């Protein structure tokens, strides 16, 4: 029984059994029962059970639950490994496992039937096999924090032991142990991220210190700056990755707690839809519009409140007072708002904030969450201004809910600047101006113009821009900030009265407001600022002297006025926008029917999924390649790789030594050197290229099918190239091949007549191929033949004429000495030169050797081919150990056997490992591409794709607009 219940939960059950053996019955009976139960046998319930038997049967199922809960903990541990690896997702398998769980109502004296148990057991086995092959540790994370990872493994094991002990003491079913172990994951990940970030910062500072010296040249300084930028980007990406991982873990932890609670109560989780608020629906429409028309160049935009002002005028502070939370990063005179921030305000029971593309909620009543939110906003802004830019047009969308908040959508823009500093991009001032004008030019935008009351009104830059975009002031609300400082510094309070009455500035506005957004202390809370504002206006001379109306002061009155104006404009414009998009949709659908009548409308995401399916189908086809086909392809590829080395470095140098003994000795030495150095790597390279070739053949074959859609070709090619570049053959493969190749090449015996015939045939075909190559090279050197010159009117060049003359002299030498060595002697070179000089042809020794090499090579290969013909019937003499000059056949037999064994080993590696690893890498590339919209836009192109994308967007916008209009009408 003990060997069946190994593990943490097994120790709990075993210790309980040893302490009270009577409670669990005889050991033999219990072991036999467990063995029977694990064999998959169903309980025979046709006969009534005695109370003791019922009790024992329930104990058996109790042990099963212990094993199941142990599997649950193992799954959580593996999930953690995937989280640290950065990219392994178990969500799908987790859902399959969760659906296969049996009903736990047996705790209420109802036993589960055998079908549910088998389903549960099969799901666990399937999940275990899948996880075993899929989880790997990201090498970058591993190199950076391997010590912390090992520390966490031991820490986590101890955490599990403590949780199990607590579950045993409290007599619970293990769910608390699951929750306790899982909740600690997010704590450690947060700690690991913080420590990893500190390491990167320390390395950055240490690297930058030497280059901060004045004597470092400009090139080194630029290189250092590039590397520093790379390290900073890496830190940002690491922070984003861990932040997302924490959000996912927290969400899953909440869901797991809910599932455990409901399972304990014997109820299923309720499925209900939460009714969305009106402002949330409106914000979704704005997001869709922003994606559809990111340049804001058309009038088809719904109302929003655009917050504009000079830098450090208090724009962000006004927005924070309206949102009642310090949600933005702050700096002393430094530009902090580097990208548009869209904030959707709505009422809610809790004061929380959430980004559009994230599921994490930040509790704005907690300072820790506020700090995290500000850090996230700053990170997103910095992430959007890469490439040397100072500001970006990428919108950061967030939602803020809380009691008493006015429902509206505000967009905070970068502040208008007068002067650029040296650390800004050259186009910063113009970029901010163009961005601000683009947002304000929307005829449905409400302009919240922020003016710093602490500076002279004549120094303002924003008022002129606002007057240009809204000269009549029908959608402008003017806000004067820092009134407390203005009252102290200005000698004439009437100046403030003129500003708030609209008589000082030439611009016009719907309303004028005065606010106080703090005392310049960034640590002040919103409540502290509100109290300070109320106290100031209560004792201010502006009130006492009747210079300002009470409805024109405080951010509360401002937010009420802005919200009223916002919703009035929404009701006036939303139906017009819906009609405009309805007409756009009709035009696009008509164009599709005329141009693509037989095709279904599919956007990039749908087309990408189709391409993913086709690529994975081709990967599956690799398993259909027969072993013989693999080995034949590998043999051809290996010979293509090594044939040049075999002839040039082994066979020809050894065969030209002259004697059989020296030939064999030279061949043995060269073969061993070759097998110990270059041959294994060349073999692995051949296997990799063969796998690429076979896979590419399936892709090319798919292009020839009648229903092939060429819109996927660019995407498929890019995915395959990326996967091939990532794939690396296993390191140990070359070492394994080296051993078997050495052993094979050392065997000099040819024991079978069939092997002898195959070796002779291999020698003949190889020599013929080399002879053909040599004759081709010689033809290029000598020029057209006599036949070609007469029939095709071709002519010899002067160099080719000289080479033909040299060849005639060399042929005489070869014909006179059939066993001539591979080099010419000095006397022979002198004789050839003198003979050519008689015909007024002057050449040097280098020119003669240049012609001699292919001439002698052709002569030698012809001799080798003749010898191969003579050795066809020499196997009997070789077998009888008679003196026969067929060492060439033995050499090629050894090489042929080596290639056969190598191709067999490579075939096994491909079918057992490399094809599956390639499949995994292709899936990873597809997963990466699925998250990268820029790659989709680049690889899936054409009018068909653009039209389908526009149709999808217009339909979504129209549907959301109609849904919003219905909700708006109901609210009326």
């Amino acid at each position: 029984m003990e060997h069946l219940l190994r593990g943490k939960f097994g120790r709990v059950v075993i210790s309980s059994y040893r302490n009270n053996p009577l409670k669990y019955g005889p050991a033999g009976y219990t072991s036999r029962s467990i063995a029977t139960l694990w064999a998959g046998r169903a309980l025979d319930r046709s006969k009534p059970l005695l109370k003791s038997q019922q009790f024992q049967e329930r104990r058996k199922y109790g042990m099963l639950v212990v094993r199941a809960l142990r599997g649950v903990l193992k799954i959580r541990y593996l999930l953690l490994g995937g989280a640290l690896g950065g990219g392994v997702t178990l969500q799908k398998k987790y859902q399959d496992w969760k659906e296969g769980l049996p009903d736990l109502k047996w705790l209420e004296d109802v036993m589960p039937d055998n079908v549910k148990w088998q389903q549960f057991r099969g799901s666990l086995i399937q999940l275990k096999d899948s996880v075993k092959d899929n989880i790997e540790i990201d090498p970058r994370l591993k190199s950076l924090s391997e010590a912390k990872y090992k520390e966490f493994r031991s820490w986590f094991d101890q955490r599990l032991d403590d949780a199990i002990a607590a579950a045993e003491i409290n007599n619970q079913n293990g769910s608390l142990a699951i929750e306790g172990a899982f909740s600690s994951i997010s704590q450690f990940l947060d700690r690991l991220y913080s420590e990893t970030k500190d390491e990167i910062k320390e390395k950055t500072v240490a690297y930058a210190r030497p280059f901060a010296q004045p004597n470092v040249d400009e090139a080194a300084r630029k290189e250092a700056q590039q590397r520093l930028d790379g390290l900073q980007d890496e830190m940002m990406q690491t922070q984003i990755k861990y932040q997302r991982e924490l959000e996912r873990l927290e969400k899953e932890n909440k869901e797991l707690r809910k599932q455990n609670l409901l399972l304990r109560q014997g109820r299923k989780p309720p499925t209900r839809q939460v009714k969305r608020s009106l402002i949330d629906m409106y914000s979704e429409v704005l997001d869709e519009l922003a994606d559809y028309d990111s340049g804001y160049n058309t009038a088809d935009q719904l109302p929003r409140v655009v917050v504009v002002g000079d830098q450090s005028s208090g724009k962000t502070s006004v927005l924070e007072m309206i949102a009642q939370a310090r949600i933005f990063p702050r700096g002393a005179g430094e530009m902090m708002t580097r990208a548009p921030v869209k904030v959707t305000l709505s009422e809610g029971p809790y004061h929380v904030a959430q980004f559009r593309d994230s599921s994490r909620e930040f509790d704005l009543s907690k300072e820790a969450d506020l700090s995290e939110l500000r850090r996230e906003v700053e990170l997103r802004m910095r992430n959007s201004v890469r490439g040397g830019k100072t500001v970006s047009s990428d919108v950061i969308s967030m939602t803020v809910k809380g009691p008493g908040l006015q429902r509206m959508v505000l967009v905070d823009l970068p502040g208008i600047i007068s002067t650029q500093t040296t650390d800004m991009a050259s186009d910063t001032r113009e970029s901010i101006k163009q961005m601000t004008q683009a947002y304000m030019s929307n005829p449905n935008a409400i302009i919240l113009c922020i003016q710093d009351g602490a500076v002279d009104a004549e120094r303002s830059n924003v008022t002129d821009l606002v007057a240009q975009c809204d000269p009549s002031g029908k959608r402008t609300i003017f806000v004067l900030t820092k009134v407390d400082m203005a009252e102290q510094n200005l000698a004439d309070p009437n100046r403030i009265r003129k500003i708030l009455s609209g008589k000082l500035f030439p611009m016009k506005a719907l309303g004028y407001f005065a606010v106080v957004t703090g005392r310049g202390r960034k640590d002040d809370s919103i409540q502290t600022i509100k109290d300070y504002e109320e106290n100031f206006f209560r004792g201010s001379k502006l009130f006492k002297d009747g210079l300002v109306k009470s409805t024109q002061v405080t951010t509360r009155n401002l937010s009420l006025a802005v919200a009223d104006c916002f919703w009035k404009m929404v009701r006036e414009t939303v139906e017009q926008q819906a009609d405009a998009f309805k007409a756009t949709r009709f035009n696009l659908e008509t164009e599709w029917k005329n141009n693509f009548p037989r095709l279904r409308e599919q956007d990039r995401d749908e087309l990408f999924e189709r391409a993913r399916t086709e690529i994975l189908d081709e990967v599956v086809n690799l398993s259909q390649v027969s072993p013989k086909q693999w080995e034949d392809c590998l043999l051809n590829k290996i010979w293509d790789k090594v044939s040049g080395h075999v002839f040039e470095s082994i066979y020809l140098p050894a065969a030209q030594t002259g004697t059989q003994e020296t030939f064999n000795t030279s061949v043995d030495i060269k073969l061993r050197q070759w097998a110990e150095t270059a041959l294994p790597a060349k073999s692995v390279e051949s296997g990799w290229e063969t796998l690429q070739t076979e896979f590419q053949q399936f892709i090319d074959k798919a292009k020839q099918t009648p229903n092939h859609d060429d819109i996927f070709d660019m995407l498929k090619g890019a995915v395959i190239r990326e996967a091939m570049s990532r794939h690396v053959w296993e390191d140990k493969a070359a070492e394994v091949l080296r051993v078997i190749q050495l052993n094979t090449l050392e065997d000099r015996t040819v024991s079978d007549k069939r092997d002898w015939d195959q070796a002779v045939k291999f020698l003949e075909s190889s020599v013929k191929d080399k002879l053909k190559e040599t004759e081709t090279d010689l033809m290029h050197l000598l020029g057209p033949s006599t036949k070609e010159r007469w029939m095709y009117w071709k002519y010899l060049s002067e160099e080719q004429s000289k080479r033909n003359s040299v060849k005639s002299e060399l042929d005489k030498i070869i014909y006179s000495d059939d066993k001539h060595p591979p080099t010419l002697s000095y006397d022979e070179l002198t004789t050839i030169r003198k003979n050519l000089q008689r015909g007024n042809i002057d050449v040097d020794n280098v020119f003669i050797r240049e012609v001699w090499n292919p001439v002698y090579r052709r002569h030698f290969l012809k001799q080798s081919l003749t010898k191969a013909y003579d050795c066809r019937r020499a196997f009997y003499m070789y077998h009888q150990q008679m003196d026969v000059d067929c060492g060439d056949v033995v050499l090629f037999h050894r090489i042929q056997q080596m290639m056969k064994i190598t191709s067999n080993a490579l075939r096994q590696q491909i079918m057992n490992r490399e094809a599956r690893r390639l499949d995994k890498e292709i899936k990873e590339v597809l997963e990466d591409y699925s998250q990268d919209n820029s790659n989709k836009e680049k690889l899936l192109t054409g009018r068909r794709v653009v039209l389908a994308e526009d149709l999808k967007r217009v339909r979504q916008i129209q549907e959301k607009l109609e849904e919003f209009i219905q909700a708006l009408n109901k609210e009326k």
Side-chain angles (χ1 to χ4, degrees):
M1 174 175 149
E2 291 186 9
H3 75 278
L4 292 174
L5 296 174
R6 294 191 187 99
K8 296 177 176 58
F9 283 98
R11 293 198 295 271
V12 176
V13 177
I14 292 171
S15 61
S16 301
Y17 170 79
R18 289 173 176 170
N19 295 333
N20 195 357
L22 295 177
K23 182 178 178 181
Y24 289 84
Y29 176 80
T30 303
S31 301
R32 183 169 61 255
S33 301
I34 292 173
T36 303
L37 188 58
W38 278 101
R41 299 180 183 176
L43 295 175
D44 185 5
R45 302 184 181 178
S46 59
K47 298 179 182 181
L49 297 175
L50 298 177
K51 290 186 176 180
S52 59
Q53 293 176 331
Q54 292 179 351
F55 183 77
Q56 292 166 357
E57 293 295 334
R58 292 180 184 175
R59 289 306 175 189
K60 291 187 286 183
Y61 276 97
M63 295 178 184
L64 290 180
V65 174
V66 171
R67 292 298 296 270
L69 292 177
R70 178 190 170 202
V72 170
L73 283 178
K74 184 177 181 182
I75 292 169
R76 305 313 305 159
Y77 183 78
L78 292 176
L79 178 63
L80 170 65
L84 291 176
V88 179
T89 304
L90 299 176
Q91 185 66 24
K92 183 177 179 182
K93 291 300 180 181
Y94 172 72
Q95 293 295 334
D96 294 340
W97 167 79
K98 188 167 66 175
E99 291 173 2
L101 280 173
D103 192 359
L104 297 180
K105 290 185 177 179
W106 61 273
L107 291 171
E108 300 174 1
D109 296 335
V110 179
M111 295 293 185
D113 56 12
N114 192 53
V115 175
K116 289 184 177 179
W117 165 247
Q118 291 296 337
Q119 184 183 8
F120 173 54
R121 182 169 177 264
S123 299
L124 284 178
I125 293 174
Q126 181 183 4
L127 179 61
K128 184 192 75 172
D129 295 339
S130 174
V131 169
K132 181 178 179 181
D133 294 332
N134 285 337
I135 286 186
E136 292 183 1
I137 300 299
D138 188 346
R140 292 177 298 178
L141 179 61
K142 186 175 181 181
S143 62
L144 187 60
S145 301
E146 187 171 0
K148 296 184 179 61
Y149 178 72
K150 293 179 179 179
E151 173 191 353
F152 172 68
R153 290 186 61 181
S154 60
W155 172 81
F156 186 73
D157 288 337
Q158 183 62 40
R159 185 76 173 83
L160 280 179
D161 290 334
D162 297 341
I164 293 167
E168 181 183 5
I169 295 173
N170 296 330
N171 196 20
Q172 297 177 355
N173 62 358
S175 61
L176 291 179
I178 300 172
E179 296 177 9
F182 182 70
S183 62
S184 58
I185 295 175
S186 59
Q187 300 173 10
F188 177 78
L189 280 178
D190 198 12
R191 189 181 69 185
L192 178 62
Y193 157 70
S194 178
E195 296 179 3
T196 304
K197 183 184 71 174
D198 293 340
E199 286 185 10
I200 295 177
K201 285 184 176 180
E202 290 176 3
K203 291 181 179 180
T204 303
V205 174
Y207 184 81
R209 189 177 295 116
F211 294 95
Q213 302 301 325
N215 57 352
V216 179
D217 60 356
E218 188 63 25
R221 195 182 302 278
K222 289 183 179 179
E223 181 182 359
Q225 185 62 40
Q226 292 176 356
R227 296 194 181 183
L228 285 175
D229 293 341
L231 286 173
Q232 291 176 356
D233 290 342
E234 182 181 355
M235 185 175 69
M236 289 183 185
Q237 294 300 324
T238 303
Q239 181 174 0
I240 292 173
K241 180 177 69 174
Y242 279 105
Q243 188 66 35
R244 290 177 179 172
E245 200 64 39
L246 281 172
E247 292 173 7
R248 185 180 62 80
L249 288 172
E250 288 174 359
K251 181 179 179 181
E252 192 172 354
N253 190 14
K254 291 179 181 178
E255 185 64 25
L256 184 62
R257 290 174 183 271
K258 187 186 300 182
Q259 295 290 340
N260 285 336
L261 180 61
L262 293 172
L263 287 174
R264 287 197 213 106
Q265 297 174 355
R267 293 187 289 109
K268 293 184 178 179
T271 56
R272 60 169 183 167
Q273 295 182 350
V274 180
K275 184 179 179 180
R276 291 177 298 167
S277 65
L278 195 62
I279 191 64
D280 289 336
M281 296 168 63
Y282 183 76
S283 179
E284 289 181 5
V285 174
L286 286 182
D287 289 334
E288 292 290 342
L289 281 171
D291 292 339
Y292 179 70
D293 183 17
S294 58
Y296 296 96
N297 294 323
T298 69
D300 297 330
Q301 299 293 324
L302 291 174
R304 74 205 60 158
V305 181
V306 179
V307 185
V308 297
D310 297 332
Q311 183 178 341
S312 301
S313 61
K315 298 185 298 74
T316 303
S317 298
V318 170
L319 199 152
E320 287 183 335
M321 289 296 291
I322 296 176
Q324 298 183 19
R326 307 297 294 269
I327 57 178
F328 292 104
R330 315 187 72 81
E334 181 185 359
M335 177 185 292
M336 299 304 297
T337 306
R338 297 175 178 268
V341 182
K342 184 174 76 68
V343 182
T344 303
L345 301 179
S346 63
E347 279 193 295
Y350 306 106
H351 203 187
V352 295
Q354 184 177 356
F355 290 99
R356 177 194 173 196
D357 56 354
S358 174
S359 60
R360 180 180 179 183
E361 285 189 348
F362 297 87
D363 189 348
L364 302 183
S365 62
K366 298 179 180 179
E367 185 56 38
D369 279 23
L370 274 172
S371 177
E372 287 290 328
L373 177 63
R374 289 192 291 266
R375 187 178 69 176
E376 181 71 15
V377 172
E378 184 178 5
L379 176 66
R380 289 172 181 257
M381 284 186 180
R382 290 187 177 180
N383 223 18
S384 65
V385 292
R386 293 182 177 180
K389 297 190 298 182
T390 305
V391 293
S392 170
S393 60
D394 297 339
V395 182
I396 301 172
S397 298
M398 71 165 63
T399 300
V400 178
K401 298 180 181 180
L405 293 183
Q406 299 299 317
R407 299 177 302 169
M408 68 183 86
V409 177
L410 302 100
V411 180
D412 186 23
L413 297 176
I416 305 296
I417 61 175
S418 301
T419 305
Q420 290 182 180
T421 58
T422 56
D423 58 346
M424 293 182 180
S426 58
D427 60 342
T428 301
R429 181 171 56 184
E430 191 63 27
S431 298
I432 296 175
K433 182 178 178 181
Q434 291 178 358
M435 186 192 308
T436 304
Q437 288 177 329
Y439 273 88
M440 292 192 302
S441 297
N442 173 19
N444 298 320
I446 300 170
I447 303 173
L448 198 62
C449 179
I450 309 298
Q451 169 66 38
D452 189 350
V455 300
D456 295 336
E458 292 78 9
R459 293 166 56 186
S460 174
N461 298 304
V462 71
T463 52
D464 291 338
L465 290 178
V466 173
Q468 293 172 9
C469 295
D470 184 26
S472 60
K474 292 182 179 180
R475 50 189 181 88
T476 300
I477 296 177
F478 183 86
V479 182
L480 186 66
T481 61
K482 307 178 184 179
V483 185
D484 53 341
M485 298 176 64
E487 189 179 47
Q488 294 175 4
N489 298 333
L490 291 179
D492 185 9
N494 288 326
R495 191 173 179 84
I496 297 178
R497 181 182 58 80
K498 290 181 180 180
I499 293 175
L500 297 180
S501 61
K503 296 180 180 179
L504 183 64
F505 291 111
M507 61 166 287
K508 299 179 181 179
L510 285 174
Y512 299 84
F513 290 86
V515 298
V516 175
T517 55
R519 296 170 292 178
R521 301 174 185 176
K522 63 180 181 179
D523 296 331
D524 284 349
S525 65
I526 292 295
Q527 187 60 44
T528 303
I529 298 174
K530 288 171 64 177
D531 294 341
Y532 174 74
E533 183 184 44
E534 293 177 1
N535 293 331
F536 167 77
F537 283 115
R538 191 176 294 116
S540 172
K541 295 180 181 179
L542 300 174
F543 272 151
K544 291 180 179 179
D545 298 339
L547 299 179
V548 178
K549 298 178 183 179
S550 60
T551 56
Q552 287 185 280
V553 297
T554 72
T555 51
R556 175 174 176 77
N557 290 333
L558 171 65
S559 62
L560 290 172
V562 173
D564 289 341
C565 184
F566 170 77
W567 284 107
K568 180 181 178 182
M569 188 171 287
V570 166
R571 289 185 173 91
E572 292 175 353
T573 59
V574 65
E575 292 187 0
Q576 298 175 4
Q577 302 297 335
D579 292 340
F581 275 96
K582 187 180 296 184
T584 304
R585 174 178 177 177
F586 176 79
N587 294 335
L588 293 175
E589 288 176 344
T590 303
E591 182 181 354
W592 183 273
K593 290 177 182 178
N594 292 334
N595 295 330
F596 311 102
R598 298 183 180 180
L599 295 177
R600 185 169 65 88
E601 301 162 11
Q602 291 180 308
D603 59 10
R604 284 190 174 90
D605 292 335
E606 293 173 318
L607 291 172
F608 182 84
E609 292 305 319
R610 276 188 56 191
R612 184 205 296 263
T613 302
E614 293 184 10
I615 293 174
L616 295 180
D617 287 342
E618 302 305 333
V619 177
V620 172
N621 288 335
L622 285 175
S623 62
Q624 301 176 3
V625 179
S626 65
K628 185 178 185 307
Q629 183 177 349
W630 276 120
E631 292 189 12
D632 291 343
C633 295
L634 287 165
L635 274 174
N636 295 333
K637 181 62 70 174
I638 293 172
W639 180 241
D640 289 343
K641 286 284 184 183
V642 305
S643 59
H645 183 84
V646 169
F647 270 91
E648 304 301 332
S649 301
I650 299 177
Y651 175 56
L652 293 180
Q656 293 170 3
T657 55
T659 63
Q660 187 69 21
E661 292 77 10
T662 55
F663 174 82
N664 292 333
T665 303
S666 177
V667 162
D668 289 343
I669 294 173
K670 292 180 181 297
L671 284 178
R672 186 171 186 84
Q673 291 176 347
W674 183 42
E676 288 181 343
T677 54
L679 179 58
K682 286 290 183 183
S683 302
V684 169
E685 186 178 342
S686 302
W688 175 218
E689 291 181 3
T690 302
L691 179 58
Q692 287 180 289
T693 302
E694 288 299 309
F695 185 63
Q696 189 62 45
Q697 285 179 357
F698 283 114
I699 299 295
D700 296 339
K701 186 177 179 181
K703 294 181 181 180
Q704 308 302 323
T705 56
N707 59 347
H708 172 68
D709 196 344
D710 57 1
I711 199 171
F712 303 127
D713 290 346
M714 287 179 61
L715 176 61
K716 289 182 178 179
V719 170
I720 293 171
R721 287 192 298 271
E722 179 66 22
M724 297 298 182
S725 64
R726 293 185 185 184
H727 186 85
V728 178
W729 207 276
E730 287 187 331
D731 296 336
K732 60 182 180 181
E735 183 62 26
V736 173
L737 288 177
R738 188 183 69 82
V739 175
I740 63 175
Q741 287 170 345
L742 273 173
N743 294 335
T744 305
L745 290 174
E746 287 178 356
D747 186 6
R748 305 180 184 84
T749 60
V750 186
S751 58
D752 193 296
K753 177 66 166 61
R754 184 182 61 182
D755 293 342
W756 182 271
D757 294 339
Q758 290 179 352
V760 172
K761 185 178 179 180
F762 179 44
L763 173 61
E764 291 176 356
S765 63
S766 301
V767 172
K768 286 179 180 178
D769 292 340
K770 288 297 177 182
L771 183 59
K772 185 177 179 180
E773 293 177 6
T774 303
E775 289 179 342
T776 302
D777 295 340
L778 194 58
M779 182 184 68
H780 288 309
L781 285 173
L782 301 177
S785 61
T786 305
K787 178 182 177 181
E788 291 175 333
R789 294 199 299 269
W790 278 95
M791 295 185 64
Y792 302 108
W793 294 85
K794 294 184 177 181
Y795 300 95
L796 294 175
S797 65
E798 183 179 354
E799 291 291 321
Q800 290 172 343
S801 299
K802 289 183 179 181
R803 292 193 188 104
N804 277 281
S805 302
V806 172
K807 177 181 177 298
S808 299
E809 296 295 327
L810 295 176
D811 287 341
K812 296 176 184 178
I813 295 176
I814 291 176
Y815 292 153
S816 63
D817 184 5
D818 193 41
K819 300 293 184 181
H820 194 283
T823 58
L824 291 170
S825 65
Y826 179 78
D827 294 338
E828 290 171 334
L829 290 171
T830 303
T831 302
I832 293 172
R833 284 203 317 273
K834 288 182 178 179
N835 292 339
L836 292 174
Q837 286 173 357
R838 295 191 186 107
N840 295 324
I841 300 174
D842 190 13
V843 296
D844 56 9
N845 293 343
V846 176
F847 190 87
I848 297 173
R849 291 192 183 97
E850 180 185 351
V851 181
W852 164 256
N853 290 331
V855 170
Y856 179 80
R857 184 187 182 90
R858 182 179 65 172
H859 167 70
F860 182 82
L861 291 174
K862 286 182 178 180
Q863 285 185 330
S864 300
L865 191 59
T866 303
K867 186 190 298 183
Y869 292 152
D870 297 338
C871 290
R872 286 180 179 177
R873 301 182 180 180
F875 175 73
Y876 176 76
M877 292 184 291
Y878 169 80
H879 193 63
Q880 295 298 322
Q881 298 183 354
M882 300 175 63
D883 188 13
V884 54
D885 188 12
C886 291
D888 303 8
V889 178
V890 177
L891 168 62
F892 276 80
H893 167 73
R894 295 163 71 179
I895 294 174
Q896 188 179 43
Q897 294 302 114
M898 178 274 298
M899 290 196 306
K900 286 182 179 179
I901 292 178
T902 302
S903 62
N904 181 268
L906 289 173
R907 187 263 307 169
Q908 293 180 21
Q909 291 178 8
I910 290 175
M911 298 183 70
N912 296 337
R913 291 289 299 168
E914 299 303 327
R916 287 191 297 174
R917 291 178 65 232
L918 179 61
D919 180 20
K920 179 183 175 183
E921 284 156 356
I922 289 177
K923 289 179 179 177
E924 290 176 354
V925 173
L926 286 169
E927 187 63 28
D928 293 343
Y929 278 26
S930 67
Q931 306 297 326
D932 190 348
N933 291 326
S934 62
N935 267 333
K936 291 181 184 178
E937 293 178 2
K938 182 173 63 176
L939 300 174
L940 293 171
T941 59
R943 180 56 186 166
R944 168 184 161 191
V945 182
V946 174
L947 188 57
E949 285 280 313
D950 290 344
L951 261 173
K952 176 186 176 183
R953 281 293 172 82
V954 170
R955 284 172 180 161
Q956 288 177 348
I957 294 171
Q958 184 196 356
E959 291 171 359
K960 289 184 181 295
L961 276 170
E962 292 176 350
E963 182 184 5
F964 172 72
I965 291 172
Q966 292 177 1
L968 186 63
N969 292 333
K970 288 180 181 179
E971 189 178 81
K972 287 181 182 179

